[in-house]
Amino acid sequence: MDVLRQLKAFYFPERKYLIASIFFLMCATALGLVYPNLLRYLIDDVVRPKNFELVPQLALIVVSVISFKALNQFLHGFFGGRLGNRVAYRLRNALYDKLQTLSFQYYDKAKTGDLMSRLTADLEAIRNFIGFGFAQILNMVLMVAFGGAMMLSIHWQLTLITLITIPVLAFLAVRFEKRIHPAFREMRQAMSNLTTAVQENITGVRTVKSFAREKHEVTKFSVRNEAYQKNQIGAASLWAKFFPAMELTANMSAVILLIAGGMMVINNSLQLGEFVAFFSLIWYIIGPMWGLGFHINNYTQFKASGERVLGLLNEHIHVKSADKAIVLSPEDVKGHVRFEHVTFNYPDKSAALTDINIDAPAGSVIGLLGATGAGKSTIIQLLMRAYNVKQGTISLDGVDIRQIDVESLRRQIAPVFQETFLFSASIRDNIAYGVRDVTQEEIEYAAQLAKAHDFIMELPLGYDTVVGERGMGLSGGQKQRIAIARALIKNPRILILDDATSAVDMETEHEIQAGFKELMAGRTTFIIAHRISSLRHADEIIVLDKGHIVQRGTHAELIAMPGPYRETYNIQYADFPAGDKNTANVTDINERRRSIVQ
Ligand SMILES: Nc1ncnc2c1ncn2[C@@H]1O[C@H](COP(=O)(O)OP(=O)(O)OP(=O)(O)O)[C@@H](O)[C@H]1O
């Protein structure tokens, strides 16, 4: 019931459909109760007194009742369907909205397959129950109440004798519910594990095939498949025991009625017509009891699914805008970024950054260098408020970013990540992703700056080329260049290049950077790179090691002092004679490399 209460916001606005669906079902049920009475009338008032002239009239009434009942059943289905689908629609939208607001911290642990199964299979179970199951349970209660009342009005003693098995039926049903609910919960989880395995396998199919791990994947899948099968078999055997037990108990009522009622008819304390009507009415009570298992099944599936859907809806949002957060107006943002004594650790991990201080005046270029895992990307993640800083402060133009509306903060920043994600859409749409109302000229200009225009034009459909899921069909460097164009078109105050040119050759990287210079004049840029050539023009280069800043300064300053920067430089420029190193530029290096290869 708690699940039902918590989902109220989704079905309550559709209550007119709920009421209509219940009303028509009740009408259909009430009309069903006319049959036993017609039967009683037919036997006691028509057949026995031989009033056969009433038969056509009676037949006409039966046809009308049947037709009217069918119409009511249709309307119940119609409104029930509307209700279920509208509730599912609302829930689907709410879940999708929630997925957009959940923070990076949630996605660090989330499993795509599990989320997909919540949005599909679990929603389906909710749709079924809210649309039909709920009305049917109510109908069941009404059938029992109406049928019982009618039986009591005919012969109360016989009613009590006949319905002696009802408490047993109710007991069996409740016991069954207690055991089947955990089974369903496990089944839903097992299903989500299966979906996760399939989803990961399809996403990582290239890795699987390259490492010839198909057999391992098949085994991994069969283990989960077996777990799911076991859950299904467990639930099926519970059903297998429940149904015969229910049927046996329910039929006992019919047997008791035949004995007790038959004796009453023989003793003339009950009319034959009443006895036949009674026999017909008893199914009004036994029938729903029989269906109790089905309804319980429906309800428990709904409950298990509802818990999973609510679990997602109630998920904590780690990063959200404060009340009365400042909404930045782009024309006023200058882009002065400061990190002051920032120390940060990911949940359940040791510090990824310790006492970080950075002052990036508006328009400056900050280079970040360091071994893998040194904390470079974490600095960027914190600036974008992917995670909340608990120790120290990060400010933009003197305002703590925790006081700035998250969306408006992120609108000022355009990141290009090491791993490029492209949507399965046209190249044009991928480039224009972060902006609204953009012209083809602007798209092409950004692509030219990112050195992507030429290769796009060589594709048969040019900017209309639809890239496969995650950019399949393009090379790593081509994907990166599209991602750079996507960032540039946003015209941001702060540009972040997180190893953004790692997949393009040095010459292209140099050309792209020349384009940046033109566009980024007056904007703050953070460049994370492993190549010194990408950073050497930065206003300040920060060298990180295990989350600590170990060196900082300009290229010239850092090269002049012993330390990790000079070591990296020496390794990367090892091909050059000592005198050339300081003057070598990217083109020189490429030419030198080419001559070595030749
Ligand atoms: N989402 C995360 N959850 C938990 N720990 C993380 C997460 N991201 C990074 N870390 C950890 O934080 C530390 C710093 O990682 P970070 O990604 O900032 O390094 P990096 O310098 O950018 O490395 P690379 O050059 O390989 O990208 C590492 O120890 C890493 O394992």
Side-chain angles (χ1 to χ4, degrees), residues 3-23:
V3 173
L4 213 51
R5 189 177 52 77
Q6 285 192 58
L7 286 174
K8 192 174 165 195
F10 297 94
Y11 61 80
F12 199 65
E14 309 296 346
R15 59 190 176 282
K16 56 179 188 295
Y17 292 117
L18 180 67
I19 293 168
S21 151
I22 291 172
F23 173 76

Side-chain angles (χ1 to χ4, degrees), residues 338-530:
R338 284 188 76 159
F339 280 64
E340 287 170 276
H341 304 293
V342 173
T343 295
F344 175 78
N345 63 289
Y346 289 100
D348 309 322
K349 281 193 147 185
S350 55
L353 292 175
T354 310
D355 198 25
I356 300 296
N357 291 291
I358 301 173
D359 188 10
S364 61
V365 178
I366 303 291
L368 297 167
L369 189 86
T372 63
K376 306 179 292 293
S377 301
T378 306
I379 290 187
I380 299 312
Q381 299 281 354
L382 294 184
L383 174 60
M384 294 179 64
R385 247 192 109 192
Y387 303 86
N388 274 329
V389 166
K390 296 201 181 78
Q391 272 184 63
T393 44
I394 302 174
S395 61
L396 174 63
D397 296 339
V399 180
D400 189 327
I401 59 167
R402 282 168 292 202
Q403 284 157 20
I404 301 174
D405 174 75
V406 180
E407 209 182 306
S408 100
L409 170 75
R410 290 185 189 156
R411 241 183 266 135
Q412 315 308 319
I413 305 174
V416 185
F417 295 115
Q418 197 173 355
E419 280 172 41
T420 312
F421 184 89
L422 296 182
F423 295 93
S424 27
S426 68
I427 291 184
R428 175 184 297 108
D429 290 347
N430 266 297
I431 295 179
Y433 184 69
V435 280
R436 284 182 219 135
D437 307 324
V438 69
T439 63
Q440 177 66 17
E441 286 70 44
E442 287 170 300
I443 292 176
E444 286 186 19
Y445 180 59
Q448 272 157 3
L449 287 175
K451 300 289 160 230
H453 180 71
D454 290 348
F455 88 77
I456 295 172
M457 291 314 286
E458 278 166 22
L459 297 168
L461 293 175
Y463 282 87
D464 289 321
T465 309
V466 173
V467 294
E469 206 182 350
R470 286 166 290 113
M472 296 272 191
L474 296 176
S475 78
Q478 288 171 335
K479 279 192 271 181
Q480 274 195 340
R481 279 182 270 170
I482 291 178
I484 292 169
R486 176 161 71 189
L488 294 183
I489 205 168
K490 212 173 150 190
N491 222 357
R493 287 286 122 190
I494 300 166
L495 179 69
I496 290 170
L497 304 169
D498 186 347
D499 231 353
T501 45
S502 58
V504 295
D505 60 89
M506 287 174 92
E507 215 159 325
T508 313
E509 180 190 27
H510 185 62
E511 285 177 32
I512 292 173
Q513 285 201 343
F516 282 158
K517 258 194 201 153
E518 193 183 311
L519 194 93
M520 294 318 296
R523 294 165 215 276
T524 317
T525 310
F526 287 81
I527 304 178
I528 297 181
H530 288 106

